[in-house]
């Protein structure tokens, strides 16, 4: 019998995160439903359990170091290792004006979750991931983080200019490469997943794809075999230009 994979997904009580948890669970992983709100996290885990998935809630606020440390202790106590980390939690932030009108606080609000939170969670979980035979880290990025696409006046993103959110995803891509470089030569692979334009709370459900569709690439990267890439920026259609 293959050993069950232990997977932590942040922001997993709804949207793409919930779908990643569901799809990983359906493929035999034990899914740890990371959520800031204990009640919502438990409700999501209970829903997954009702589908026959091995699921447990883990309270984790990616902007709170104490919460992250507690989550790592809890995972170590109950499972002893971590095989998959999906850094899914993310926000768009409240600022939607022109870049020249942005304040550093506008950017800091978004970076706290989308960039600093990813670094904090990854660092806390790395000792557990190092105990895995095939650790996988998936960072949920976006096409809007691509400098190549956003600099191209012919791109679908040419008129989108959300300085806080877009730059946070570009920074997340750089973070992904940095960890992939550090972990080169180990069994751990680190990649950025691009789910496409998914209808979720972050875009007021204006996306064209469902959360289930958006989760597919993250699940694929979470379950990569040894021949899979590390330090890549991928959508279902293949490589995304940096």
């Amino acid at each position: 019998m293959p050993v069950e994979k232990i997977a932590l997904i942040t922001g997993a009580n709804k949207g793409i995160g919930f779908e990643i948890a569901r799809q990983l669970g359906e493929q035999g992983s034990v899914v740890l439903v990371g959520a800031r709100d204990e009640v919502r996290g438990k409700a999501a885990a209970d829903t997954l359990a009702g589908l026959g998935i091995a699921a447990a809630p883990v309270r984790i606020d990616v902007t709170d170091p104490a919460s992250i440390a507690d989550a790592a202790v809890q995972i170590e106590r109950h499972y002893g290792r971590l095989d998959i980390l999906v850094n899914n939690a993310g926000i768009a932030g409240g600022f939607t004006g022109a870049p020249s009108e942005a304040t550093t606080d506008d950017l800091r609000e978004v970076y706290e979750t989308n960039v600093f939170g990813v670094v904090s969670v990854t660092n806390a979980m790395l000792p557990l991931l190092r105990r895995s035979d095939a650790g996988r880290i998936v960072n949920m990025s976006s096409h809007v983080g691509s400098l190549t696409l956003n600099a191209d006046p012919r791109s679908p993103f040419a008129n989108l200019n959300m300085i806080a959110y877009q730059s946070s995803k570009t920074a997340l891509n750089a973070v992904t490469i940095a960890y992939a470089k550090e972990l080169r030569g180990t069994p751990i692979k680190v990649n950025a997943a691009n789910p496409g334009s998914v209808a979720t709370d972050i875009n007021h459900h204006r996306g064209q794809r469902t959360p289930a569709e958006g989760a597919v690439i993250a699940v694929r990267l979470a379950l990569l075999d040894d021949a899979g890439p590390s330090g890549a920026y991928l959508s279902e259609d293949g490589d995304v230009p940096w």
Side-chain angles (χ1 to χ4, degrees):
M1 289 286 292
V3 176
E4 291 177 316
K5 293 184 181 296
I6 311 300
L8 170 65
I9 305 96
T10 63
N13 59 289
K14 62 180 181 178
I16 299 174
F18 179 83
E19 280 298 324
I20 294 169
R22 183 182 67 79
Q23 292 177 31
L24 284 173
E26 287 179 344
Q27 297 199 47
S29 296
V30 175
V31 292
L32 308 181
V33 180
R36 286 182 302 175
D37 186 292
E38 286 186 76
V39 173
R40 292 177 180 175
K42 183 178 185 306
D46 288 347
T47 298
L48 292 170
L51 298 174
I53 291 168
V58 172
R59 185 187 175 278
I60 183 167
D61 179 344
V62 304
T63 67
D64 178 4
S67 165
I68 296 168
D70 287 345
V73 168
Q74 181 181 336
I75 294 168
E76 180 170 26
R77 181 181 301 128
H78 290 287
Y79 305 100
R81 73 177 197 284
L82 189 64
D83 300 295
I84 297 166
L85 169 62
V86 182
N87 286 307
N88 169 74
I91 64 170
F95 180 77
T96 58
S100 58
E101 298 169 355
T103 67
T104 53
D105 285 342
D106 292 325
L107 271 70
R108 189 174 291 111
E109 175 197 11
V110 178
Y111 274 59
E112 286 289 351
T113 296
N114 296 5
V115 184
F116 307 148
V118 169
V119 171
S120 296
V121 172
T122 300
N123 288 350
M125 300 302 162
L126 258 179
L128 296 169
L129 285 159
R130 289 183 185 277
R131 298 178 190 173
S132 173
D133 292 334
R136 301 290 181 261
I137 300 172
V138 182
N139 294 330
M140 294 304 291
S141 187
S142 168
H143 285 80
V144 304
S146 165
L147 294 174
T148 300
L149 293 176
N150 282 284
D152 184 350
R154 300 162 296 179
S155 164
F157 310 104
N159 294 321
L160 189 65
N161 205 13
M162 299 171 62
I163 186 172
Y165 182 69
Q166 289 177 265
S167 69
S168 78
K169 291 303 183 180
T170 304
L172 177 63
N173 291 344
V175 165
T176 301
I177 292 173
Y179 279 104
K181 287 166 69 174
E182 177 182 354
L183 295 166
R184 193 177 293 151
T186 77
I188 301 174
K189 296 181 183 294
V190 191
N191 292 292
N194 289 264
S197 178
V198 178
T200 64
D201 288 352
I202 205 168
N203 59 21
H204 307 290
H205 297 270
R206 293 173 183 158
Q208 287 77 49
R209 310 188 78 212
T210 67
E213 291 170 331
V216 169
I217 183 59
V219 172
R220 185 183 302 168
L221 291 173
L223 298 174
L224 281 176
D225 61 22
D226 290 343
S230 188
Y233 184 28
L234 296 162
S235 72
E236 281 183 78
D237 299 324
D239 289 334
V240 179
W242 297 106

